[in-house]
Structure formats: structure tokens, C-alpha cells
Amino acid sequence: MASRKFKAVFFDLDGTLVDIHGPLYIAAKSALDELGHDPPLTHERYREALSSDDVWLGVPEHLRPEYAKLAYAYFLAEVDKTERLEVLPHVQDTLAELKRRGYATGVITSRPGDSQRLVEKLAMVGLASYLDQVVTQTTSSLRALDKTESLKQAALKAAILPHACMYVGDEPRDIMASLGAGFGASVAVATGAASFNYLQTHPFKPDYVIRSMAELIDLIDNLKAEMLE
């Protein structure tokens, strides 16, 4: 990893650049209610589940495919009607510093729909000017969760070889996509639903795990320093 010079840093959106705990809770509760899961999910139970890495919230294994489908649909509906994104701490400063240093940047998200609408939402909160690309998905099915091809296309559009690209996300499927696209490094940030420990111990382990976006520039600086040793 240290022998590679990174020229692009691409990001997941939800849980990475913007906070999604509110929409996630609403989506999970709605899906569980539809499945008839008892007792109803409360904020307290939701927080307890996340802190103990219970990502399935007690859903039996045979119901998990249906739960995932329902929760994803409810989540998309929730974020779609949210006009103003809630930017996570240190995100704007980090993006600004990456652009100041000349990195290619972009958002590659599983959100479906018109990318221009998302650009407008990002502009409202002061992020759009730091992003060269904003990539959404053409389908609202669970297939949208696999961003491998979108990452490949983002590198191609930036005219940068995949091994000179870094992808930053907040869950294991982001790491899987980064690996599938041949990116030089994957970074997981523990600001989404997955805890720091969960990201560190998951079978699809990222190259690096950070607790917040405040650590990303230092991580990049450390990689540069290792190259010079």
C-alpha cells in the first residue's frame, strides 16, 4: 500500500459524509412493523443493537432477505424526502483540504435517481464545490448496493488508474466494492451504522479504519511519509 501514490479519493455518501441515523431508525422500525416483529423497535433498542453490533436487530435468519428489501425501500423513501442533508463533523474541512492538495474527488452512492438533484442537495450544504463527480444508481433494487462498476467508471472518468484511487465508506459492502474495482486502498469510517470494532473484525476488512473524517488527512500524510522512508 505504501508504494502507491494516491491521486483520487472517492467517498460513499450516507453514513460517510452525511448522518443517516435518523432515516435508518425510521426505515428499520417501518420494516420490522411490516414484518410483524414484536416488540416494536424503540430508539433505545436501536442504539443498543448498534452498540452490540446486532445489525439484524434480532430478525430471524429466514426473514432477513425480506427485512433487507423492506428496510432499503423505506430508507430510500426517507432520504429522498429529506431536502437538507446533515453533514457529519470534519467532512467539509477534509474535502476542502483534499481539493487544495489537487486530489480528484467524488461521491459514489447507492442512492438511485437523478444525480443532478443530489448535486443540488450537496450544494445547499456547501459540499458540491469540492466534488468532481457525483454518481447515483440507475436502479432502486438491492442491486444498487453493489457499487463496484460505479467505482470503476469513476476512476475511468477521472483518467486515474484504479490502484491510485482510495474509497472511503462506512460499511463492509463499500470495502467489497473497492476491492472489486481494484482500488489501491479502502478506508472505513465508523460514523454510520457499523461500529469501529465491527469494521475492524468483519471478514471484508478494510485497509484502514478511522473513527471520524478528522483522521483521513493524517492517514494520507502517514502513507506519504512511509513512501519516502
Side-chain angles (χ1 to χ4, degrees):
M1 208 68 58
S3 66
R4 295 172 177 167
K5 182 179 178 182
F6 295 103
K7 298 179 180 179
V9 185
F10 297 120
F11 296 88
D12 169 52
L13 177 65
D14 296 306
T16 302
L17 301 184
V18 302
D19 187 40
I20 52 161
H21 282 292
L24 275 178
Y25 165 71
I26 292 170
K29 185 178 187 317
S30 299
L32 291 174
D33 287 348
E34 188 162 334
L35 289 173
H37 191 72
D38 197 54
L41 185 66
T42 62
H43 279 285
E44 184 180 11
R45 167 69 185 116
Y46 176 72
R47 287 192 294 269
E48 288 174 356
L50 291 187
S51 65
S52 62
D53 296 328
D54 178 13
V55 296
W56 290 109
L57 303 171
V59 174
E61 193 167 347
H62 71 282
L63 288 177
R64 288 176 183 178
E66 184 64 18
Y67 167 75
K69 193 161 132 186
L70 287 169
Y72 181 56
Y74 279 118
F75 174 74
L76 291 181
E78 196 62 30
V79 295
D80 187 57
K81 70 183 184 184
T82 303
E83 280 305 313
R84 189 169 182 85
L85 303 172
E86 186 177 342
V87 180
L88 285 162
H90 312 292
V91 164
Q92 187 162 9
D93 290 345
T94 299
L95 291 177
E97 181 62 17
L98 289 172
K99 290 314 297 174
R100 189 187 71 77
R101 295 184 182 198
Y103 286 93
T105 60
V107 161
I108 294 87
T109 175
S110 292
R111 289 196 189 195
D114 182 14
S115 62
Q116 186 54 40
R117 184 170 179 229
L118 182 54
V119 170
E120 291 166 3
K121 285 188 176 187
L122 290 164
M124 283 175 62
V125 292
L127 299 188
S129 60
Y130 304 120
L131 299 164
D132 303 319
Q133 300 182 51
V134 175
V135 180
T136 54
Q137 302 301 312
T138 57
T139 176
S140 58
S141 74
L142 288 176
R143 290 195 307 277
L145 295 176
D146 182 2
K147 294 174 284 190
T148 304
E149 288 305 314
S150 293
L151 290 182
K152 290 179 182 178
Q153 290 303 312
L156 188 63
K157 186 174 180 180
I160 296 173
L161 292 173
H163 72 253
C165 298
M166 173 184 288
Y167 189 51
V168 185
D170 69 308
E171 54 182 310
R173 65 183 177 86
D174 297 322
I175 309 312
M176 292 167 64
S178 180
L179 288 169
F183 275 23
S186 59
V187 179
V189 56
T191 48
S195 70
F196 186 86
N197 179 67
Y198 184 83
L199 293 167
Q200 274 197 320
T201 57
H202 194 275
F204 286 100
K205 188 178 178 182
D207 297 303
Y208 309 97
V209 184
I210 57 179
R211 294 188 185 277
S212 82
M213 203 60 72
E215 300 175 39
L216 185 63
I217 297 297
D218 284 345
L219 171 61
I220 291 172
D221 284 342
N222 289 338
L223 290 175
K224 274 189 176 181
E226 288 173 13
M227 288 174 63
L228 298 174
E229 290 178 359

